[in-house]
Amino acid sequence: MNKNEAIQTYLLALADDELILGHRDAEWTGHAPLIEEDIAFSNIAQDEIGHAQALLRIYESLGGNDPDTMGFLRDADEFTCCHFVQMPKGDWAYTIVRQFFFDAAEIIRLRYLKNSTYELIRELAAKIYPEEQYHLLHTQGNVERLGDATEESRRRMQRAVDEAFEQALGLFEKIPGEDVLIDEKIIPDSRTLEAEWLQFVTPVLKRSGLQSPVIETNGTVESNVEPLYGGRQKKHTEHLHKIIEDMQKVYRMIPGAKW
Amino acid sequence: MNDTQLPIWEVFHQEKRGASHVHVGAVHASDEEMALQMAKEQFARRQECVSLWVVREEHVVKTNYDVPFFFARNTDKEYREVYGFPAPLKGKHRE
């Protein structure tokens, strides 16, 4: 894989994560437990889909197909999103925990990408970063509150953490071609991101009264569970096929229609 | 109907620095920090905003619609109204 292909592969993986999670979040529109949160979450969903579009524009500028084609005319087994974002929306606790885990990973990744040696990525990262800071503020705020609000909220949040943790580690599955880009300081190493993510989320969960499956020794945090990998290798869950079908249905009826 | 959700916060929105904070509506939220976030989501998304205030609804002191004398204007007070003194548009003289 040459450098150009490696960049495209990387951008596509990030864009697919954003696009699919954005659609998952949008499934709450009209159904969230509070009307305020309904709107807040719909905003976050739109932001994530917007980030996917921006990443896909860079992909296109490197000789790829346009964002609409990539999002709406590609089959599920051509996507490279992690399993984490494919999972059904679950209950509100799972949704909040998933979004918190995702936002934390995004912030950590973007901090590196803001210093990428590749100009288009560096510029986009700087643009997206403040939005993700806000997402994280919001989702972390919700985790901290729901973690110990009531017996029911604590129980549901803990169940969500137990379920989501190994899935979230899938965000850091190595993306094919990564090594070339790490050497050129275009992107950070996935292992570095994972280590920093564990270091970040563990104390937040602890503060919120929630336990995480980690081993802590002398200031370092290691995961105690097997990450759920496969997505970057285009091995997917049945859930992805279903959401892609829903997502692409209208577009495929009249491809290229203008709204 | 009783409101069974979280506490209510009145929201005041400022479009530019120096402008007045204008009441735009209310949100439900668990505490101050979340109230500001919810206010941002509901009222600062489609328009310019540089500052928001949130105030617990119960902290707003209100007049009572059922006390008619409070706002009564039964005698002619036309002399107090400001028509007839057309104010120039704000800032226009600087053009």
Side-chain angles (χ1 to χ4, degrees):
Chain A
M1 197 184 285
N2 66 31
K3 179 177 148 189
N4 206 44
E5 289 164 346
I7 292 176
Q8 282 192 310
T9 306
Y10 193 78
L11 291 169
L12 200 52
L14 299 194
D16 287 349
D17 281 356
E18 302 257 22
L19 182 61
I20 299 303
L21 186 60
H23 275 269
R24 278 285 177 235
D25 289 344
E27 289 176 340
W28 280 104
T29 303
H31 304 277
L34 286 171
I35 183 112
E36 287 82 355
E37 201 54 63
D38 195 300
I39 294 170
F41 233 71
S42 302
N43 287 351
I44 289 178
Q46 284 185 327
D47 285 348
E48 303 297 21
I49 293 168
H51 298 170
Q53 190 184 35
L55 289 160
L56 289 171
R57 285 217 179 95
I58 304 182
Y59 174 90
E60 183 186 11
S61 76
L62 296 171
N65 281 320
D66 66 282
D68 279 354
T69 304
M70 293 309 286
F72 297 120
L73 290 176
R74 201 164 28 126
D75 291 332
D77 51 18
E78 285 304 313
F79 274 72
T80 51
C81 48
C82 57
H83 291 190
F84 185 42
V85 298
Q86 307 173 13
M87 297 302 173
K89 73 182 196 299
D91 65 359
W92 186 246
Y94 178 79
T95 292
I96 287 293
V97 167
R98 169 160 63 182
Q99 193 64 38
F100 166 62
F101 282 172
F102 184 82
D103 293 338
E106 282 254 270
I107 277 291
I108 293 164
R109 192 189 300 270
L110 286 169
R111 262 184 217 138
Y112 283 97
L113 295 184
K114 280 204 301 179
N115 294 308
S116 170
T117 55
Y118 195 79
E119 192 183 7
L120 292 173
I121 291 179
R122 188 172 66 238
E123 284 173 0
L124 180 61
K127 210 156 124 186
I128 291 178
Y129 190 77
E131 281 186 6
E132 286 301 336
Q133 277 181 301
Y134 177 75
H135 291 183
L136 184 61
L137 182 75
H138 186 72
T139 48
Q140 186 178 332
N142 270 316
V143 167
E144 287 167 352
R145 282 160 182 81
L146 291 171
D148 62 357
T150 64
E151 171 47 36
E152 186 189 1
S153 78
R154 201 205 62 79
R155 178 170 48 77
R156 286 198 190 203
M157 290 294 280
Q158 186 59 59
R159 190 177 61 194
V161 169
D162 294 344
E163 199 181 331
F165 210 88
E166 61 184 40
Q167 299 170 357
L169 295 172
L171 287 164
F172 312 110
E173 179 182 358
K174 202 169 164 176
I175 297 169
E178 209 179 273
D179 293 336
V180 188
L181 306 179
I182 295 167
D183 289 345
E184 295 210 26
K185 297 195 166 39
I186 293 173
I187 60 155
D189 188 328
S190 290
R191 299 282 63 74
T192 309
L193 297 183
E194 184 188 81
E196 287 190 27
W197 182 85
L198 287 165
Q199 200 83 30
F200 177 81
V201 299
T202 305
V204 174
L205 294 174
K206 204 179 279 180
R207 251 199 331 272
S208 315
L210 300 166
Q211 288 168 346
S212 43
V214 294
I215 306 160
E216 291 179 80
T217 37
N218 303 326
T220 63
V221 188
E222 273 177 62
S223 157
N224 199 15
V225 287
E226 204 53 44
L228 193 60
Y229 285 163
R232 308 295 185 213
Q233 299 295 333
K234 303 183 180 174
K235 293 190 189 93
H236 294 301
T237 66
E238 61 190 290
H239 309 299
L240 182 69
H241 292 267
K242 183 74 184 68
I243 194 174
I244 295 267
E245 196 187 317
D246 287 348
M247 195 176 88
Q248 297 183 341
K249 199 170 182 178
V250 174
Y251 192 90
R252 283 182 186 254
M253 277 179 198
I254 319 168
K258 296 271 177 272
W259 300 86
Chain B
M1 200 161 60
N2 284 334
D3 192 335
T4 57
Q5 300 209 318
L6 298 167
I8 295 173
W9 305 72
E10 298 295 340
V11 179
F12 299 79
H13 170 276
Q14 189 189 36
E15 201 173 295
K16 291 190 178 76
R17 280 191 185 214
S20 302
H21 281 74
V22 178
H23 183 242
V24 284
V27 293
H28 291 98
S30 56
D31 52 43
E32 296 165 14
E33 201 185 324
M34 293 314 271
L36 284 172
Q37 289 185 25
M38 291 310 184
K40 180 233 163 183
E41 297 284 359
Q42 325 304 315
F43 299 108
R45 185 172 171 237
R46 298 181 194 274
Q47 60 190 116
E48 290 290 310
C49 183
V50 294
S51 163
L52 287 168
W53 292 346
V54 290
V55 180
R56 272 293 288 271
E57 189 263 353
E58 64 195 43
H59 292 162
V60 177
V61 184
K62 297 157 196 142
T63 56
N64 189 339
Y65 287 116
D66 301 331
V67 182
F69 68 81
F70 200 83
F71 294 113
R73 288 163 59 100
N74 295 347
T75 56
D76 181 11
K77 298 207 190 322
E78 213 177 280
Y79 61 89
R80 293 181 182 176
E81 293 168 14
V82 291
Y83 68 85
F85 302 96
L89 285 176
K90 202 178 169 188
K92 204 175 175 185
H93 62 284
R94 279 199 296 254
E95 280 175 9

